[in-house]
Amino acid sequence: MLSGKSYLQILFIVLGVIALSTLSYAYYYAKSNAKSYPLPLMNRISFDAKLKFIRENIDPDEVDTLIVGSSLALNNVQGAVIEDESTVVKDVLNLSMWSIGALQVEQLLELSDAFPNLKRIVYSGQFSDFGNKLVFKNYDSDALQDYMANTLNPIAHSRLLLDACKDIAFCKKREKEWTHPKYHTQKNFHFLKFDHTGSAPIEIHGKDRIQRRWESPHAPVQIAEAFEALRRIAQKAKSDGVAFYFIQQPYRQPLIDKDKGVKHVMQKFATGVKNLVNQEGGHFLSLHYLLKLDDTHFADRSHLNANGSKKGSSEIAKFIDKSEGSK
């Protein structure tokens, strides 16, 4: 009969073997599948997909222009068009993702240190992005920079993979989820098949539109913390010697015409952001008031289809050239 001490020793050995086997399986599962689907590093599929894209496709030394923001930057700004039509912009990275507010954009821009030859930041947004104070949790910008640049040492890389797939069931779910057509077709708001700059222009028209998003405006909510974050973003860009641009995206005019609250917040937002950005040495452009786009250019109330985003991106290219003295 085993003594109590011997029993405990055997029990701990068995548990240790099980734990080690589980960790080993998680590591090799994550490593072997890292190229087939976005590892859940941030547990936000649009963020994880963008990190995977950068790691596999972007040379950080070449990037001179970052586009940041929510899907109003991801879908509404075509980096390829800006590269083609600007005389000063050479290499664009669209670092944007779904549903992030100003405080999260501020966190995201901590990754700008990974791009040593950065010359300008383009923040594309609308009043709807300034109504919350959400932040990323467990956000380690240094580790993410090393992951994007593929410069993690073997131990740190192993730790990252283990942490990403410590819940193997979730990783398997992510792998299966990534095969869903919604992430790979331009007729869906979940589209995440990026062009060579990381932009994801969408082709949503007519029956493909979601009527709730077409007919109902955003709540005209603004919070001070979001504007304080924008000021810090502009100030840091200035201190880093990086040109800063804020682009107000178009909004469906019929919704503005029928809702006084939306009309008021649109005008207030444009005036407030222009004053703030100009005070900090940046540049402001309202595509809404410049282009006056009709409904044929919209996928919903504030997202543009590919035709609309092409027109807007062309104007951004012209604005950058004009602001930087290019003829």
Side-chain angles (χ1 to χ4, degrees), residues 242-303:
V242 173
F244 180 70
Y245 298 85
F246 189 95
I247 310 298
Q248 182 188 26
Q249 285 293 327
Y251 207 84
R252 282 193 65 224
Q253 191 62 42
L255 294 180
I256 298 171
D257 292 340
K258 76 176 186 179
D259 192 311
K260 292 182 179 179
V262 174
K263 182 176 182 178
H264 174 72
V265 77
M266 281 286 294
Q267 294 171 339
K268 182 179 179 181
F269 180 76
T271 301
V273 171
K274 181 179 181 179
N275 290 340
L276 185 157
V277 169
N278 288 347
Q279 286 170 9
E280 304 302 337
H283 311 273
F284 174 83
L285 174 66
S286 175
L287 292 178
H288 176 79
Y289 295 107
L290 175 65
L291 293 176
K292 298 179 171 61
L293 296 178
D294 63 30
D295 279 354
T296 62
H297 297 88
F298 285 86
D300 69 1
R301 56 203 168 194
S302 57
H303 291 83

Side-chain angles (χ1 to χ4, degrees), residues 112-220:
S112 65
D113 293 339
F115 309 101
N117 297 307
L118 186 65
K119 292 182 172 63
R120 61 194 65 83
I121 294 168
V122 179
Y123 186 167
S124 168
Q126 185 51 275
F127 74 88
S128 52
D129 295 323
F130 283 68
N132 69 75
K133 50 183 178 181
L134 298 175
V135 296
F136 295 124
K137 297 179 179 179
N138 302 317
Y139 184 73
D140 186 341
S141 62
D142 291 334
L144 293 180
Q145 286 181 52
D146 289 337
Y147 174 78
M148 292 189 307
N150 199 17
T151 56
L152 286 169
N153 64 54
I155 294 176
H157 188 225
S158 298
R159 187 183 301 119
L160 187 73
L161 292 175
L162 281 172
D163 188 58
C165 276
K166 58 189 175 185
D167 184 345
I168 298 174
F170 184 84
C171 273
K172 288 186 174 182
K173 180 181 178 182
R174 166 64 67 82
E175 182 180 22
K176 182 178 180 180
E177 179 187 13
W178 186 240
T179 64
H180 197 289
K182 69 182 180 180
Y183 298 118
H184 309 285
T185 174
Q186 284 185 286
K187 292 186 177 182
N188 197 292
F189 286 105
H190 292 89
F191 181 59
L192 287 175
K193 190 174 181 179
F194 309 123
D195 68 12
H196 76 273
T197 70
S199 297
I202 51 180
E203 288 287 10
I204 295 176
H205 309 265
K207 63 181 178 61
D208 296 318
R209 295 181 179 128
I210 299 174
Q211 288 305 303
R212 173 183 56 80
R213 294 172 56 156
W214 181 259
E215 298 172 352
S216 302
H218 295 89

Side-chain angles (χ1 to χ4, degrees), residues 3-153:
S3 66
K5 183 177 180 181
S6 299
Y7 176 81
L8 288 175
Q9 288 177 334
I10 294 173
L11 176 63
F12 285 129
I13 290 172
V14 170
L15 291 176
V17 169
I18 292 173
L20 182 61
S21 299
T22 301
L23 289 174
S24 298
Y25 178 70
Y27 171 76
Y28 285 109
Y29 183 85
K31 186 175 182 180
S32 63
N33 290 283
K35 285 185 176 290
S36 64
Y37 70 98
L39 288 174
L41 302 177
M42 294 297 297
N43 288 334
R44 293 171 59 103
I45 196 165
S46 63
F47 198 165
D48 295 330
K50 185 57 62 75
L51 292 171
K52 178 178 184 292
F53 167 81
I54 295 170
R55 180 181 173 88
E56 296 176 358
N57 299 279
I58 298 298
D59 181 349
D61 292 336
E62 296 296 322
V63 174
D64 62 20
T65 304
L66 284 181
I67 299 166
V68 295
S70 66
S71 52
L72 297 184
L74 178 65
N75 304 140
N76 285 19
V77 182
Q78 295 191 38
V81 172
I82 295 177
E83 286 181 345
D84 288 343
E85 299 192 14
S86 170
T87 60
V88 297
V89 175
K90 304 304 179 186
D91 200 302
V92 174
L93 170 60
N94 192 326
L95 192 56
S96 310
M97 62 199 66
W98 301 335
S99 303
I100 61 173
L103 279 81
Q104 290 165 312
V105 170
E106 182 180 24
Q107 289 178 287
L108 190 64
L109 280 170
E110 293 176 20
L111 301 179
S112 65
D113 293 339
F115 309 101
N117 297 307
L118 186 65
K119 292 182 172 63
R120 61 194 65 83
I121 294 168
V122 179
Y123 186 167
S124 168
Q126 185 51 275
F127 74 88
S128 52
D129 295 323
F130 283 68
N132 69 75
K133 50 183 178 181
L134 298 175
V135 296
F136 295 124
K137 297 179 179 179
N138 302 317
Y139 184 73
D140 186 341
S141 62
D142 291 334
L144 293 180
Q145 286 181 52
D146 289 337
Y147 174 78
M148 292 189 307
N150 199 17
T151 56
L152 286 169
N153 64 54

